[in-house]
Amino acid sequence: MRIIIAGAGIGGLTAALSLHAAGITDVGIDEAVPELLPLGVGINLLPHAVRELTELGLADRIAEIGVPIEELVYANPLGQVISSEERGRAAGYRWPQYAVHRGALQMLLLDAVRERLGSGAVRCGCPVTGLEHDADLLIGADGIRSTVRGALYPEEGPPIWNGLTLWRGTTLAEPFLTGRSMVMSGDGSRKFVAYPISEPDRDGRVLTNWIAERPTEGAAATGDWNRSADPETVAADFADWKLGWLDAPALIAAAESVFEYPMVDRDPLPRWTHGRVTLLGDAAHPMYPIGSNGASQAIIDARVLAHALATRRDPSFYEGQRREATAAIVRANRGLGPERVLSLAHERAPHGFDDIDAILPPEELAEISLRYQRLAGFDPASLNERPSWTVRATPALERLATFHVTLDPILPIGRTPWGERRVIGITGGSFDGPRLSGTVLPGGADWQIVHDDGTATIDTRYTLRTDDGALLYLQTRGHRHGPAEVMRRLADGEEVDPDSYYFRLMLTFETAHPDYAWLGRTVAVATGRREASAVVYDAYTLS
């Protein structure tokens, strides 16, 4: 199955990794921008998304770039706490919740795609401009202004703006509350959100991601993150915010840069899948950035789609699992989702409160939170018990390269306790493949043993230089054996049909070059043939 993904954002990259892990390896990503850069500000990865990235083998890498969020605090602008709830493992999940820089996460996923699918898997400067393609499936993962969605629904029009504008930025500041806290503060029309996205630096400061939101007039609903704003102007709109444990206006004013973004979404679609085309992430279900759920839902899409294609080869089954579920989140976010508690507290106590339990009883707060968790698929009980979407793929072989290794004449050492030992020096050669090509350097050898039954145990070690200058240390081990007459002819240098004898190898690579580090984590095997003064073998990676 051949698949093209439009868009190398978080959803598209996760889809490529998920498909590869499920045994679907002929995958390419076409990205419109000429170069992918670590742009954006902070986002949250909820436990259900962290579970999926963990099952893709990325847990350690995510932990390196993320800050585990252990507490979510809702407060009014006076700093009075409306509610405080544990998050991540502290809340009973088997997986943490991370706050990360969006660009750092995208680069992490991009590196993993290039390692696992090859350096050419992501083609930058190659926009998908319509529905025409030559693959088995085109996945539109190209964002809220998706070209693929636009081609499927040309009458839809621009994203829908709700009259609110967000300003987002990052600021180095002292940690607040637990240092692992996320705060959401609001007064019914304005909202301020903050959370750390780095560990403390030498001065004890952390990079703090913040979001300021208020109604505006006349904003263009473009969904463009690249419009700049003046930090001082934004800070002035929140000058009356007196949280106490966090100076919101000072945090805004100290940002090096601020980006303006109208709060937009789109109406849920009646259908995502049209023949050999389907949608994913923001292209399928753009939603307000409420509940910290946008990127997480794209990651879930990617995993469910890969599972559906690997087990049923049917993208409509994926749609059946995800379309109504995400439509419900879009609608819930329009109703403020779990952040509704901010509006309720303001409506019931606009000037503050002495006893939050008299304003918002604990049972009501808990019910609002749990209802949204269940709707979005990340309440602890359901998530911890849900079966995995990992597909245990049948191992498959992917061509690595064809090696042509030239040899010295055999140097017989004689019979040792292990058998007839002989050494065959390696004089050079070449190798060529889709991800690996270059020359074999002279100086290695095959320290071979021939056993009493005629089986030759191969043990070679030598050095490769790739076409781009990387040095690789290669060791091959394997066996060659066959009928006595065939092996005699082979020893005499005659041309022998390679199907008449068994010659198989396992390859182990070692390198310090980062572009080829994936070889050290890959199982590779080969089938070979012996020529008069060379060995030729076709090598494959085992998925």
Side-chain angles (χ1 to χ4, degrees):
M1 177 177 264
R2 181 165 181 266
I3 294 178
I4 295 174
I5 300 170
I10 291 169
L13 293 167
T14 305
L17 292 170
S18 299
L19 290 163
H20 182 270
I24 302 173
T25 57
D26 191 357
V27 179
I29 303 178
D30 288 344
E31 169 56 48
V33 302
E35 181 183 6
L36 289 166
L37 299 172
L39 303 178
V41 284
I43 61 172
N44 265 259
L45 291 175
L46 297 179
H48 56 343
V50 176
R51 172 181 178 173
E52 301 311 323
L53 297 175
T54 297
E55 293 190 9
L56 285 171
L58 300 174
D60 291 344
R61 300 193 199 188
I62 298 295
E64 288 178 1
I65 67 167
V67 175
I69 297 298
E70 299 174 356
E71 177 188 48
L72 172 60
V73 175
Y74 291 101
N76 66 13
L78 301 174
Q80 294 178 312
V81 173
I82 299 166
S83 72
S84 176
E85 59 185 61
E86 294 179 319
R87 305 292 277 191
R89 287 202 173 99
Y93 292 99
R94 291 170 54 194
W95 302 272
Q97 173 176 328
Y98 284 119
V100 300
H101 188 286
R102 183 199 174 280
L105 175 62
Q106 185 182 16
M107 294 301 103
L108 182 156
L109 296 171
L110 177 64
D111 289 345
V113 167
R114 286 173 169 164
E115 289 170 12
R116 299 178 188 184
L117 280 76
S119 58
V122 179
R123 298 177 286 267
C124 290
C126 296
V128 172
T129 58
L131 302 179
E132 296 297 320
H133 63 91
D134 59 357
D136 296 293
L137 182 68
L138 169 65
I139 301 172
D142 46 346
I144 191 170
R145 292 172 291 175
S146 166
T147 299
V148 178
R149 178 174 175 141
L152 292 173
Y153 295 93
E155 305 300 322
E156 184 179 30
I160 303 167
W161 180 47
N162 71 352
L164 295 172
T165 298
L166 308 176
W167 291 270
R168 303 191 67 163
T170 57
T171 306
L172 273 174
E174 295 295 321
F176 61 90
L177 297 178
T178 68
R180 294 283 188 265
S181 298
M182 177 179 184
V183 61
M184 293 189 178
S185 174
D187 65 1
S189 62
R190 296 174 299 169
K191 185 175 72 175
F192 180 78
V193 179
Y195 50 86
I197 58 172
S198 78
E199 297 295 342
D201 64 11
R202 291 182 181 179
D203 298 322
R205 299 178 302 171
V206 298
L207 190 63
T208 302
N209 184 82
W210 58 262
I211 305 157
E213 171 192 313
R214 67 170 176 83
T216 58
E217 295 181 2
T222 62
D224 183 0
W225 277 104
N226 297 317
R227 289 186 299 170
S228 296
D230 176 25
E232 294 287 350
T233 301
V234 178
D237 290 330
F238 292 82
D240 59 339
W241 237 254
K242 306 297 182 184
L243 298 177
W245 31 266
L246 178 64
D247 190 337
L251 193 71
I252 297 170
E256 289 188 6
S257 57
V258 176
F259 299 98
E260 180 181 301
Y261 180 61
M263 187 180 282
V264 294
D265 69 0
R266 291 185 184 274
D267 289 331
L269 291 174
R271 185 177 170 192
W272 292 352
T273 305
H274 300 251
R276 296 185 298 126
V277 179
T278 196
L279 300 173
L280 181 149
D282 280 350
H285 48 72
M287 58 185 64
Y288 295 156
I290 287 173
S292 307
N293 227 339
S296 294
Q297 291 299 323
I299 290 167
I300 302 300
D301 285 352
R303 295 283 288 160
V304 175
L305 176 57
H307 185 273
L309 294 177
T311 58
R312 299 170 183 261
R313 302 184 71 85
D314 183 5
S316 63
F317 182 77
Y318 143 76
E319 178 177 335
Q321 297 287 302
R322 296 294 296 154
R323 186 169 56 81
E324 284 302 320
T326 53
I329 301 172
V330 170
R331 290 189 285 266
N333 284 4
R334 288 177 175 179
L336 300 183
E339 297 167 26
R340 182 166 164 261
V341 299
L342 298 176
S343 295
L344 290 175
H346 180 74
E347 291 170 8
R348 299 175 187 180
H351 305 295
F353 48 81
D354 295 322
D355 181 7
I356 186 58
D357 290 352
I359 303 302
L360 272 168
E363 298 80 8
E364 185 177 5
L365 289 169
E367 194 275 334
I368 291 171
S369 177
L370 185 58
R371 183 195 311 149
Y372 188 79
Q373 290 177 5
R374 287 173 174 165
L375 180 73
F378 70 100
D379 62 290
S382 298
L383 178 59
N384 290 345
E385 296 170 7
R386 175 179 59 73
S388 173
W389 285 315
T390 295
V391 178
R392 305 302 176 189
T394 301
L397 295 176
E398 297 179 51
R399 180 171 177 262
L400 177 62
T402 296
F403 289 76
H404 187 277
V405 183
T406 57
L407 306 173
D408 274 332
I410 295 172
L411 177 64
I413 301 298
R415 188 170 185 83
T416 74
W418 289 271
E420 290 290 333
R421 171 73 71 180
R422 51 193 193 177
V423 178
I424 305 104
I426 291 172
T427 60
S430 63
F431 54 98
D432 182 70
R435 302 175 62 184
L436 191 66
S437 58
T439 57
V440 176
L441 301 183
D446 178 7
W447 287 268
Q448 189 178 114
I449 289 179
V450 179
H451 302 280
D452 291 343
D453 65 356
T455 297
T457 295
I458 311 299
D459 179 9
T460 73
R461 277 155 277 179
Y462 50 100
T463 307
L464 312 176
R465 177 181 283 123
T466 65
D467 286 341
D468 55 358
L471 292 176
L472 313 177
Y473 170 70
L474 171 61
Q475 181 174 8
T476 74
R477 296 185 66 86
H479 302 289
R480 187 176 67 233
H481 56 80
E485 177 59 21
V486 171
M487 302 309 289
R488 183 195 63 76
R489 293 173 54 208
L490 203 62
D492 290 343
E494 296 182 25
E495 185 174 328
V496 178
D497 181 359
D499 290 337
S500 65
Y501 60 95
Y502 181 93
F503 187 2
R504 303 291 186 267
L505 299 168
M506 184 174 74
L507 286 65
T508 303
F509 293 89
E510 185 179 336
T511 182
H513 198 290
D515 289 351
Y516 295 94
W518 59 273
L519 283 167
R521 302 188 293 268
T522 300
V523 174
V525 294
T527 178
R529 65 182 182 273
R530 183 67 158 91
E531 297 181 349
S533 58
V535 164
V536 179
Y537 57 92
D538 296 310
Y540 304 85
T541 59
L542 188 64
S543 68

